[in-house]
Structure formats: C-alpha cells, structure tokens
Amino acid sequence: MTEQTPARVAANATRPDAIDLRDLTVIGIMRAFDGPAALLRSGRGRIARVQVGTQVFGVTVTAIANDQVVLTNRSGQAQAVTVAGG
C-alpha cells in the first residue's frame, strides 16, 4: 500500500525554520494498532514515540487529538502542543 504525501504536509516538511529546535515539539500524530500515538522531539533532539500515560522529557502525555498532544508537567499544569508546521 503506497500513499502519496499530501501537498501541505510535503511543503511543511521542507520549510526551513519550521520549528524551534530548542522547544519540545510534536512531530506527528498517528493511529497505531494499540491506540493513538505521537512522535515528540525534545529540545535536546531526542525523539520519543508516546501514547496517553507515557512519561517522557519531564512531562506526562494526558491526551492525544487529531492535531495536538496535551502534556502535563510535574506541577499538574497542562499544555496543548500542536503538530509542528500545522
């Protein structure tokens, strides 16, 4: 099965300076066999595949939607982070 990359996605993937490499970034969201998942990139360049409940980079993933991931820090403050370039 081969799918063509949508034009919007291809354009965003090749945009210089599309993301601030110093910040935690949502690279993409997918539907996996075991539920929704996302790829996060830390400000240090580490990549992690996460699902709801995953603790990574000092935050906990509390929700994954079509275009954003909700992260909760150790203090209980939640922040929605949208997909980079979206």
Side-chain angles (χ1 to χ4, degrees):
M1 175 169 97
T2 304
E3 292 185 28
Q4 199 169 19
T5 303
R8 180 180 138 271
V9 173
N12 285 333
T14 58
R15 250 179 48 214
D17 302 324
I19 61 173
D20 185 344
L21 297 177
R22 298 169 295 185
D23 293 337
L24 181 68
T25 304
V26 179
I27 296 173
I29 296 174
M30 67 207 101
R31 290 187 190 353
F33 69 92
D34 53 350
L39 289 177
L40 301 181
R41 183 192 182 280
S42 76
R44 293 181 176 210
R46 293 181 49 213
I47 305 288
R49 180 189 181 275
V50 298
Q51 292 183 279
V52 173
T54 301
Q55 294 181 356
V56 65
F57 309 136
V59 296
T60 300
V61 177
T62 51
I64 299 175
N66 290 336
D67 64 346
Q68 67 182 7
V69 176
V70 178
L71 306 169
T72 302
N73 66 18
R74 291 181 179 111
S75 301
Q77 296 176 321
Q79 175 185 6
V81 181
T82 57
V83 175

